[in-house]
Amino acid sequence: MTTTSASQPPHPHQIVHFGRLPRLPLEEGEGGTREIWTASVPGLDFIWQLKLVELRGPTATLHAPSHMHQLVVGMSGPQVLAGPVNRQLPLRRDQAMLVRSPTTVFRRPRLRMAGASRVLVLTFVSDGPDPTFSFDTFSGVATLPPDTRAVIVLEGALDLAGEAVPSESALILAARAPRPLVVGNARVVILSLDDSTVAVAETP
């Protein structure tokens, strides 16, 4: 895959492998970021964007356009504090934090564990219902919720109509496309955006 930016996936779904994505340095702080997907429309930089962020220093800051908010999901590594400029709260693995600000500040005050702190950051337009998230374990056949836009496979693997969705990858789904069946044994994060919000935002 050569790009992760599009107004919609070219098909009802797209599989993005994190290891194949370029790693860019953070603008403020030590670490890097990998852009998983960006959905955009004419006149806006983007309407939502999903990134994997690896934090390696004591502090880091992410900036988004002024009309955006951010949902931060803890994945692995030392615990971080996250939030707007003046109020950071603990963010643990398998937890999420809604930051009603275009700026998210991260701090790692006690680095008792070696390695990077890894978080997912979903940046989205602030005018509309908030996105939601859930951690789940799939075993066997499962139907994705109707408003699912991204499924991140943390452990194990899924099968989508004969196509593998391995660990450390994301399944990106088009707005209003039928939700597919997936088969496998995997621990996942499901990110959802309200269809009515997407319908308004993605109309040119």
Side-chain angles (χ1 to χ4, degrees), residues 99-128:
V99 180
R100 296 189 183 280
S101 169
T103 301
T104 300
V105 177
F106 297 95
R107 290 191 293 128
R108 302 199 303 167
R110 297 183 182 89
L111 298 181
R112 297 174 180 174
M113 295 173 56
S117 300
R118 303 171 79 230
V119 298
L120 290 170
V121 178
L122 177 67
T123 305
F124 60 96
V125 291
S126 58
D127 185 14

Side-chain angles (χ1 to χ4, degrees), residues 68-83:
M68 312 297 281
H69 289 169
Q70 302 182 70
L71 178 72
V72 185
V73 181
M75 288 186 63
S76 63
Q79 178 182 320
V80 301
L81 302 179

Side-chain angles (χ1 to χ4, degrees), residues 4-67:
T4 60
S5 298
S7 58
Q8 285 285 0
H11 304 290
H13 68 269
Q14 184 85 7
I15 298 172
V16 181
H17 301 264
F18 297 167
R20 300 177 187 175
L21 300 175
R23 181 180 179 274
L24 301 175
L26 291 173
E27 292 184 4
E28 295 184 25
E30 297 177 30
T33 180
R34 299 177 192 267
E35 179 187 325
I36 299 171
W37 194 265
T38 297
S40 59
V41 293
L44 289 175
D45 291 333
F46 53 85
I47 56 172
W48 65 270
Q49 182 181 68
L50 181 62
K51 288 183 176 181
L52 174 64
V53 179
E54 299 171 336
L55 307 164
R56 295 189 175 277
T59 63
T61 303
L62 292 182
H63 298 283
S66 60
H67 63 287

Side-chain angles (χ1 to χ4, degrees), residues 107-184:
R107 290 191 293 128
R108 302 199 303 167
R110 297 183 182 89
L111 298 181
R112 297 174 180 174
M113 295 173 56
S117 300
R118 303 171 79 230
V119 298
L120 290 170
V121 178
L122 177 67
T123 305
F124 60 96
V125 291
S126 58
D127 185 14
D130 297 329
T132 60
F133 91 103
S134 65
F135 284 86
D136 205 345
T137 300
F138 288 168
S139 179
V141 180
T143 303
L144 298 175
D147 54 354
T148 301
R149 297 305 303 276
V151 179
I152 296 89
V153 180
L154 303 176
E155 299 174 1
L158 298 176
D159 182 276
L160 175 65
E163 193 171 6
V165 188
S167 178
E168 293 287 312
S169 69
L171 172 63
I172 307 297
L173 301 171
R176 300 178 297 279
R179 303 296 91 172
L181 290 174
V182 293
V183 182

